[in-house]
Amino acid sequence: MIKIAVTGGIGSGKSYISHLLENMHIPVYNADNEAKRLTASDAGIRGELIALLGEDVYKDGLLNKPLLASYLFSDPAHVLQINSIIHPRVRKDFTVWVERQEKCEIVGMESAILYEAGFQDTVDAVIMVYAPVELRIQRAMYRDGASEEQVRARIAAQMDDEEKRRRADFTGVNDGVQLLIPQLNRIVEQLKTEKFIL
């Protein structure tokens, strides 16, 4: 089995690429969504967050997102602290999920913070989804109802696109001009023919 990851900045089109991969019968694990699910449901995460932030971090059984957000954004060190609680559980959950896909030749993971979380070590190859920054801003503003300033701030907080491109094994260009399906077909064929194992 070959494990691939899809990453890219806000508005690049990661989810759309993942959707296209699923149409090619390649199941994709959405690490960002699963991190939210695990933060809400995993007893280990719950216990560690309560130990760190107190009982108020969960209200009526639900994660108190404003409290967690205020803690996260008050100090960069807090982000590392919270990530050290959540990311190992996501990594373990992905491993279990992969085992359940035993009949698949290729499986995928979608993660906006693949490199920041260290998840690149769990896969054999990385596809970085690239789009021009102005197009990404337009997409994110339309999708999230956010202002241009908000989107630019989120982009500034993420790892630089060129750094992601340098680290990735493949780049899919999602600029609204180049066709994505032929690009993905080429990548998948290369993975299959070369048995791309690092």
Side-chain angles (χ1 to χ4, degrees), residues 161-182:
D161 262 10
E162 293 310 315
E163 177 65 14
K164 285 181 182 171
R165 270 181 113 159
R166 189 182 65 74
R167 293 192 189 191
D169 301 288
F170 303 97
T171 300
V173 179
N174 185 21
D175 59 2
V177 178
Q178 299 184 55
L179 297 174
L180 285 168
I181 292 173

Side-chain angles (χ1 to χ4, degrees), residues 60-72:
D60 302 319
L62 300 173
L63 182 67
N64 183 343
K65 291 178 185 175
L67 189 149
L68 182 61
S70 68
Y71 180 77
L72 280 170

